[in-house]
Amino acid sequence: TSYTWQSEPHGLARGSSQNRHESKERNSSLLSRIRVSMKAILVMTSDNPFYIDELKSLCIACDIEVEDVVIQKLEKINPATYIGKGKIEEIRLRLDGEMVIFDDELSPLQVKNLTDQLQTEVTDRTDLILRIFEQRAQTKEAKLQVEIARDQYLLPRLAGMQEHMSHQQGGSGFRGSGEKQIELDRRIISRKLSRSRKELAQIVKQRQTQRERRKRNNIPVIALVGYTNSGKSTLLNTLCQNKEKKVFEKDMLFATLQTSTRNIKIKNHTCLFTDTVGFIERLPHNLIQAFRSTLEEVKEADLLLHVVDSSFEDYQLQVDTTNKVLEELGVENTPMIYVYNKVDLNKYGYVHPVTPYVFISAKEKIGLDLLEDEISHILFKDYETFQLGIPYDKGEDFKYLYENTYVEQVDYRDDYIYLQIEAKRQDIKDYLMYILLN
């Protein structure tokens, strides 16, 4: 297929900003029209619909069209080619220019051998997830984390990736047979990894300083955790009243990668809500390691909200996956509320909830009052109820207490304003003189 670029419209100077703007729009439109998604054959060792649908979803997130699914149940993995010779031949006969994607992570040797035998691009689930993360990374921290994970994945797979890598560099000025290209590539990637880690360490240091500041301010931190696409970002946006502070949300895997923290009032108590990267079954180890600095926010949280997609039939598998990753991160003894989301889809009847729990719909704002009650019960159990009488000429004190404590009742009486509030005694020590004696 040939594509013809239109000439510049008459009457516009070549260097004008309007000219450049219109040309950019035309080029962007043309690129969107000629963009053709890749096609792939998936290779599975399980016929579980959950695993098949999830791998398909990962492909969709990478703009890869699934042409076929090949399943071979294995008692033992072939160390050289992962699957047997007969299945390789079956795939080869089905191929028509597609790439081949395996649901499990392949070793460098398996990738090389399969590529040689199938004569097409061969990759795996880990590579798909890394591709998605590369596309979605927006912040400097997220980009560095993904770069580190990608380079760690790539380093042992250099052998056999391209023929030129086996060539030796020699000639004038060199002694002996020279240095193989693959050795140079390894050195380049190793240096790049070192630089990325140093840059990330600086960002981690800044994040630790922010966490220390929060601890000094005694503001409780609530972390949203859960399987990817369970509705964490939607819940954060629903609770956040400031429209300018909304985070990106979309019905797809790994819509957001960067950690977002927002100030949110829970029954008039200021809390910090942190939205974290979503988890997934068999999340690549390199990614967990690279994102460990971001996930430290989870370890430092006072409360975890484990958001679960209650409309998903295999929701328990997603719950188990999330809990397993939290265990790998060393998250222990942190209070957790199971938040069964998406009840508006009316598919939550088969859910067997784990206590403490609430059923909500973040999108339709259903059950949020119950969620606040549960959060308050856990985080603010040390709070006491106080009955105060604020003189009318102490308007500033009334304003402070009204805005910074949970107000249960207000009554404007003849001599004072009656306030019934919930707070820590330490937090209102300067206002104890207003306590009404029974």
Side-chain angles (χ1 to χ4, degrees):
T1 306
S2 62
Y3 303 98
T4 304
W5 295 89
Q6 295 180 359
S7 59
E8 296 296 334
H10 296 292
L12 288 176
R14 176 174 290 274
S16 70
S17 60
Q18 183 180 357
N19 183 4
R20 290 194 301 271
H21 177 69
E22 291 185 2
S23 177
K24 183 178 179 180
E25 284 189 343
R26 262 197 324 279
N27 294 350
S28 175
S29 175
L30 179 57
L31 287 173
S32 66
R33 290 199 304 271
I34 68 175
R35 182 181 183 181
V36 179
S37 64
M38 293 181 288
K39 296 182 179 181
I41 292 178
L42 307 186
V43 181
M44 316 284 299
T45 55
S46 169
D47 57 1
N48 187 323
F50 170 75
Y51 295 119
I52 295 173
D53 290 343
E54 187 166 88
L55 188 59
K56 286 182 178 180
S57 296
L58 289 171
C59 289
I60 291 170
C62 287
D63 295 313
I64 296 173
E65 180 183 343
V66 177
E67 287 283 286
D68 202 353
V69 178
V70 176
I71 299 173
Q72 182 179 38
K73 294 184 178 180
L74 298 171
E75 293 183 2
K76 185 178 180 181
I77 301 297
N78 187 322
T81 56
Y82 194 84
I83 55 177
K85 294 180 179 179
K87 191 59 67 172
I88 292 174
E89 181 62 20
E90 178 186 333
I91 295 170
R92 193 183 65 79
L93 293 174
R94 293 192 192 188
L95 280 173
D96 186 22
E98 301 94 342
M99 64 189 301
V100 178
I101 303 174
F102 282 70
D103 190 42
D104 291 316
E105 183 170 326
L106 300 175
S107 70
L109 176 64
Q110 288 167 344
V111 172
K112 180 182 183 303
N113 291 338
L114 287 165
T115 301
D116 290 344
Q117 294 184 42
L118 295 173
Q119 291 297 300
T120 191
E121 181 182 357
V122 177
T123 189
D124 57 26
R125 173 193 177 87
T126 297
D127 179 57
L128 277 185
I129 295 175
L130 287 170
R131 292 186 191 200
I132 297 170
F133 272 55
E134 285 171 330
Q135 292 172 8
R136 307 280 164 78
Q138 298 294 326
T139 64
K140 176 67 173 177
E141 182 179 21
K143 290 178 180 178
L144 282 171
Q145 288 165 328
V146 175
E147 282 178 17
I148 290 171
R150 169 59 78 184
D151 288 342
Q152 287 176 325
Y153 175 82
L154 180 63
L155 202 55
R157 289 169 170 78
L158 287 176
M161 287 183 64
Q162 296 179 16
E163 289 184 6
H164 81 274
M165 289 184 175
S166 63
H167 294 169
Q168 290 182 333
Q169 185 172 355
S172 179
F174 289 88
R175 293 183 179 179
S177 59
E179 188 174 36
K180 288 186 177 181
Q181 180 66 39
I182 189 172
E183 294 168 354
L184 293 173
D185 291 335
R186 281 177 178 151
R187 189 177 304 138
I188 290 170
I189 292 178
S190 296
R191 283 201 294 262
K192 185 168 171 283
L193 259 173
S194 179
R195 287 196 302 269
S196 297
R197 284 171 174 153
K198 286 180 181 178
E199 289 186 58
L200 184 60
Q202 291 296 321
I203 298 176
V204 171
K205 190 175 180 180
Q206 295 171 8
R207 189 181 290 280
Q208 289 172 339
T209 302
Q210 293 172 351
R211 280 201 293 265
E212 290 299 324
R213 191 180 303 123
R214 292 171 193 164
K215 286 182 180 179
R216 289 196 296 270
N217 293 337
N218 202 28
I219 301 175
V221 177
I222 301 172
L224 298 167
V225 299
Y227 213 78
T228 180
N229 206 30
S230 60
K232 299 184 299 300
S233 298
T234 302
L235 178 57
L236 181 65
N237 285 340
T238 301
L239 294 173
C240 183
Q241 299 300 315
N242 189 340
K243 293 182 179 180
E244 296 181 358
K245 296 290 186 178
K246 302 288 186 182
V247 299
F248 178 72
E249 61 177 86
K250 192 173 181 180
D251 184 16
M252 63 181 180
L253 301 183
F254 302 114
T256 55
L257 297 185
Q258 54 269 23
T259 297
S260 303
T261 302
R262 299 290 183 267
N263 276 302
I264 293 174
K265 294 273 189 177
I266 297 294
K267 294 197 172 181
N268 229 25
H269 299 298
T270 299
C271 301
L272 289 174
F273 272 69
T274 298
D275 183 20
T276 61
V277 62
F279 301 143
I280 195 170
E281 173 75 5
R282 291 168 288 155
L283 187 66
H285 181 72
N286 288 341
L287 273 177
I288 295 178
Q289 292 299 317
F291 276 76
R292 185 170 289 275
S293 60
T294 299
L295 295 171
E296 287 292 324
E297 297 285 345
V298 178
K299 293 181 66 174
E300 298 293 330
D302 300 289
L303 174 66
L304 302 180
L305 297 187
H306 186 157
V307 184
V308 182
D309 180 357
S310 67
S311 70
F312 188 69
E313 187 173 352
D314 289 321
Y315 76 94
Q316 190 58 50
L317 198 153
Q318 297 186 343
V319 169
D320 294 341
T321 297
T322 299
N323 287 336
K324 182 180 178 182
V325 175
L326 291 174
E327 185 179 332
E328 289 178 13
L329 292 170
V331 178
E332 300 175 353
N333 304 320
T334 304
M336 180 187 291
I337 299 173
Y338 286 87
V339 182
Y340 295 94
N341 190 26
K342 305 185 183 182
V343 297
D344 54 301
L345 300 179
N346 295 319
K347 294 182 180 179
Y348 60 94
Y350 52 81
V351 171
H352 299 285
V354 180
T355 305
Y357 68 90
V358 291
F359 282 96
I360 71 160
S361 169
K363 182 179 178 181
E364 301 299 331
K365 301 182 180 179
I366 299 171
L368 298 183
D369 53 339
L370 299 176
L371 177 59
E372 288 198 32
D373 288 342
E374 200 63 46
I375 292 173
S376 181
H377 175 70
I378 293 176
L379 283 185
F380 311 124
K381 59 185 177 182
D382 296 332
Y383 284 55
E384 302 177 51
T385 298
F386 298 93
Q387 295 179 335
L388 309 176
I390 314 297
Y392 281 98
D393 61 351
K394 299 295 183 180
E396 287 298 318
D397 291 348
F398 169 77
K399 180 180 179 183
Y400 175 84
L401 292 167
Y402 191 85
E403 292 180 350
N404 293 278
T405 65
Y406 175 53
V407 179
E408 296 178 337
Q409 186 180 346
V410 181
D411 188 16
Y412 295 90
R413 300 181 179 177
D414 292 340
D415 300 325
Y416 56 83
I417 304 173
Y418 172 80
L419 266 182
Q420 183 170 309
I421 64 171
E422 186 182 285
K424 284 185 178 179
R425 184 175 291 269
Q426 177 66 21
D427 293 344
I428 62 164
K429 61 182 180 181
D430 296 333
Y431 307 94
L432 296 178
M433 75 285 286
Y434 299 130
I435 292 180
L436 296 172
L437 300 177
N438 294 329

